[in-house]
Amino acid sequence: MTTRKPDWLRAKLPSGKQYSAVRKLVDDKGLHTVCQSAQCPNMGECWSRGTATVMILGNVCTRSCNFCAIQTGRPTEYDIGEPARVAEAVHTMNLKHCVITSVTRDELKDGGASVWAATIRAIRHRCPNTAIEVLTPDFRGKTEQLDIVLDAEPDIFNHNVETVERLQKPVRVQARYERSLKMLEHAAKRGFVAKSGMMLGLGETKEEVEQTMRDLRAIDVKILTLGQYLQPTSKHLPVERWVTPEEFDAYKVYGESIGFTKVESGPLVRSSYHADEQSAHFTGVDKLRAEAS
């Protein structure tokens, strides 16, 4: 198909004092962001609003997903000073809601869970009024590693299934659909607000998308994000089709009809897009966590 993007996929270009301030902060603190590493189309808009999704545990991933622009390879040792720098950055940006994600570190004994926990606790200590959302890897399905993260008490637990069950192998390669559902269900059963997301335009059918949505609701996932897949480079999976804004609107309506508390659905939506507004949609994160119990 043509690689020419439709008009509705035009993203805001980086600009403004706030964008420059966030960029300087990220550089000064020696941090990585998924905004940069994954070539997020919303970086200009989000950074101009003073928000960024910080990526911990380096910027080299041990997995080779066919949709993702993050570098794959053998990571270096992780930086033990990173949690404190992340917390200081969150404090400097005066965030009410922060999103932390990471590369996958399968070579580490605990999958990096201890660094996740240290980062959450550092933010909580430095910024006690900031809501913390974590977007984690699947820890190879080891719930004991996930529990290390959850024991640090983030406010929202996010893990993306990324695509429908049939397309998991070609899209995510080393990941598994049932494993992702297992981790989400585990977090939800422990009383955490569970969130997940999918990319559309990879060849999935409407029926498959709706089935995935039902699978997520069956394990009590509360928040769902749906966005258009964009091919990072010619080496990655091609876009099979451009999903129209009207289709995204219809998925939002369907998601709400089957019980999702919040559905963000649109061509440029990503996992952490307007995450602060998602949590602000409720009277408070504490109430949302209580609803998940």
Side-chain angles (χ1 to χ4, degrees):
M1 65 166 291
T2 178
T3 57
R4 182 183 176 88
K5 296 178 183 177
D7 291 341
W8 62 75
L9 281 170
R10 291 178 179 173
K12 182 178 179 180
L13 293 175
S15 64
K17 292 182 179 179
Q18 191 67 61
Y19 169 83
S20 299
V22 172
R23 177 132 208 164
K24 184 176 186 303
L25 179 65
V26 167
D27 291 343
D28 288 350
K29 298 295 182 184
L31 303 176
H32 300 292
T33 69
V34 74
C35 322
Q36 296 164 304
S37 297
Q39 300 178 16
C40 179
N42 301 310
M43 189 174 78
E45 178 182 350
C46 293
W47 286 28
S48 296
R49 294 171 64 238
T51 63
T53 299
V54 177
M55 187 170 70
I56 62 175
L57 289 163
N59 65 343
V60 179
C61 188
T62 54
R63 296 193 185 177
S64 54
C65 296
N66 287 323
F67 70 90
C68 186
I70 294 174
Q71 181 182 350
T72 299
R74 186 179 182 84
T76 58
E77 290 298 318
Y78 57 81
D79 182 356
I80 60 174
E82 186 176 55
R85 295 201 311 278
V86 171
E88 189 59 34
V90 171
H91 178 264
T92 301
M93 286 192 282
N94 193 29
L95 298 181
K96 294 181 179 179
H97 181 99
C98 70
V99 182
I100 308 299
T101 190
S102 81
V103 291
T104 300
R105 297 292 299 264
D106 287 331
E107 91 288 4
L108 296 176
K109 187 175 181 180
D110 69 350
S114 58
V115 178
W116 269 101
T119 303
I120 295 167
R121 292 190 174 105
I123 296 170
R124 190 74 73 203
H125 176 75
R126 190 73 175 88
C127 314
N129 296 318
T130 298
I132 302 171
E133 176 178 330
V134 296
L135 172 57
T136 78
D138 63 16
F139 295 108
R140 291 179 291 181
K142 296 181 179 180
T143 54
E144 65 273 17
Q145 294 181 3
L146 175 57
D147 280 333
I148 295 172
V149 179
L150 297 179
D151 287 346
E153 299 190 348
D155 295 292
I156 296 177
F157 173 77
N158 187 356
H159 173 70
N160 289 332
V161 294
E162 303 293 7
T163 189
V164 300
E165 185 173 14
R166 176 177 59 86
L167 296 176
Q168 292 286 313
K169 186 66 174 178
V171 173
R172 299 176 78 200
V173 188
Q174 295 103 323
R176 300 291 182 271
Y177 185 71
E178 65 277 6
R179 184 194 296 167
S180 289
L181 293 182
K182 172 186 174 182
M183 303 307 267
L184 286 160
E185 183 176 24
H186 183 77
K189 284 184 174 179
R190 282 199 53 180
F192 290 88
V193 178
K195 173 181 175 179
S196 192
M198 283 194 290
M199 306 168 293
L200 306 184
L202 284 161
E204 71 288 331
T205 67
K206 175 176 179 289
E207 291 73 22
E208 287 175 321
V209 174
E210 292 181 347
Q211 181 60 58
T212 305
M213 294 167 76
R214 290 193 296 272
D215 290 345
L216 291 169
R217 276 303 301 135
I219 56 173
D220 204 25
V221 170
K222 298 282 189 182
I223 305 172
L224 177 68
T225 58
L226 300 171
Q228 170 71 53
Y229 166 67
L230 299 175
Q231 184 181 22
T233 73
S234 60
K235 296 180 180 179
H236 291 83
L237 289 170
V239 175
E240 290 294 328
R241 64 183 290 262
W242 303 116
V243 181
T244 67
E246 292 75 19
E247 289 175 278
F248 278 109
D249 289 344
Y251 284 130
K252 177 179 176 66
V253 171
Y254 179 75
E256 291 173 344
S257 76
I258 62 173
F260 283 104
T261 308
K262 185 69 175 174
V263 179
E264 293 282 357
S265 182
L268 289 174
V269 168
R270 294 296 182 267
S271 297
S272 54
Y273 183 58
H274 289 181
D276 53 339
E277 295 180 3
Q278 292 170 27
S279 61
H281 172 80
F282 307 92
T283 57
V285 175
D286 288 342
K287 178 182 176 182
L288 184 55
R289 285 194 62 178
E291 289 177 358
S293 301

